[in-house]
Structures are given as C-alpha cells and as structure tokens.
Amino acid sequence: MRGREVTFVRGAVALAAAALVLTLAGCGVRPTGIVDAGEPASGLTKGLRIYFVSETGRLEGVTRSDEPLREPAAVIKLLMSGPDESERRSGLTTLVHGGRFEVTGDGDRLTVRVFDLLLDPASVNDRNYTGQLVCSLARAQAVLDKSGRTRPDDVRVTVRAVPPEGVQREEELGPYVCSDFLK
C-alpha cells in the first residue's frame, strides 16, 4: 500500500506543478500593445433613412444611402414615391401622398407646412403620417449637418396643417422629435 500512496502523491504533485506552469505561462497568449481599430460602434446608423408604416401600424426606417440630399424637403418626395418592391413585399407603405409641402428652418428646428390637409391627432393614420414626416425630416437634417453634431432626436419638427379654402384655422402640431413616434 505504501508504494501506491507514494505514486498517488507524486501524481498529484506533478498535476499541481503542470497547472502552475500553465497558469504562469498564460496559455501561450502574449501581451500586445494598443491596437487602433477606429471609432467605436454607435447606436444609430449613419446616412439617410426615411420612415414608412408597417402592417402592424408602426414606423420603420429604411436606408436610402444612394439618394443625393441637398435639403431636408427632398425626403418628402422620397416618402411620396413610397417603399421599393422588396419593402412593399415586407408590408411597408406610405401615408404621404401628393400635395404641396413647404419646409423651413435650420439647425435643430424645422417646420413643415402641409397644404390642403386637416389632421386629427387622435387618428392612428394621421399620427403615423405626422411621424413619417417628423422622423424622415429629422434624419435628413442630421445627415445634412456636416459637423456631425446633430442627432436625429436633437431636431424638433413642427407640423402645420394648412386646411383647404373655406376652413378657418391652420393647425399646428408639435414640435416633435422622432422618438415620440417610435414608442
């Protein structure tokens, strides 16, 4: 029995020594210096996005990175042209159709006047219509800021519905930020 105990102790000591060597060696991984891998990932995608309405009634942003953009109002034409074929197949649609629009303002404040329109803030479709305008215009304004300091949710958009002739008042909604419509 004594020989077996000695063999067992020697095996345990050898195993402990091997574990110690591996721990001290760091499993072969050698330290490296600092590796510059560029900017860290950020939460928002870069580039132009416009917003359409899904089958479930939620706003969804789609990328339009190949579209030249000189002013925020240009996104309204993109909204009016609607989703492309694959986006339509996935259930996206636009509520922004023909009409006259006027976008004014700069920096983090924009106003869009929509002519010949009455909006009901309690209507889900009118809320999504407003959200399409607000989110798409805010994203366009952020993309146009060459300093890169303007985030889409920094941009406040007021929507003014200018009713058809014969209706007395212009209705003002907002100012809104895009996240008001993405909840």
Side-chain angles (χ1 to χ4, degrees):
M1 284 278 188
R2 179 131 171 90
R4 281 189 172 165
E5 290 175 357
V6 169
T7 304
F8 175 76
V9 169
R10 283 184 186 157
V13 168
L15 187 59
L20 180 63
V21 167
L22 284 175
T23 301
L24 293 174
C27 299
V29 176
R30 300 283 180 224
T32 60
I34 296 173
V35 177
D36 185 11
E39 295 288 323
S42 64
L44 292 173
T45 59
K46 300 280 185 195
L48 180 62
R49 291 177 67 80
I50 58 174
Y51 290 79
F52 294 121
V53 181
S54 72
E55 290 175 333
T56 61
R58 296 179 55 97
L59 290 183
E60 288 189 28
V62 298
T63 301
R64 289 291 188 269
S65 58
D66 57 342
E67 295 292 333
L69 187 65
R70 291 182 179 81
E71 61 181 2
V75 300
I76 294 175
K77 289 181 182 174
L78 295 173
L79 288 172
M80 286 192 282
S81 66
D84 66 23
E85 184 63 32
S86 68
E87 293 162 350
R88 281 192 300 277
R89 280 195 306 271
S90 69
L92 297 180
T93 189
T94 186
L95 300 174
V96 179
H97 298 287
R100 203 172 102 214
F101 298 84
E102 180 182 279
V103 179
T104 56
D106 60 5
D108 63 356
R109 300 266 180 202
L110 293 177
T111 299
V112 58
R113 292 179 75 203
V114 185
F115 293 87
D116 299 324
L117 181 71
L118 293 172
L119 290 174
D120 177 5
S123 162
V124 172
N125 275 348
D126 286 357
R127 180 165 173 72
N128 281 334
Y129 175 93
T130 303
Q132 279 190 266
L133 290 172
V134 169
C135 289
S136 299
L137 285 166
R139 187 59 178 246
Q141 188 68 3
V143 167
L144 287 167
D145 177 11
K146 298 303 179 200
S147 74
R149 292 187 188 121
T150 302
R151 297 173 330 135
D153 252 3
D154 292 338
V155 180
R156 302 206 179 315
V157 180
T158 300
V159 177
R160 287 195 177 137
V162 181
E165 258 196 64
V167 179
Q168 297 265 337
R169 68 181 190 354
E170 188 173 306
E171 187 174 20
E172 183 173 293
L173 304 172
Y176 295 113
V177 293
C178 183
S179 61
D180 291 337
F181 298 92
L182 300 179
K183 297 175 185 171

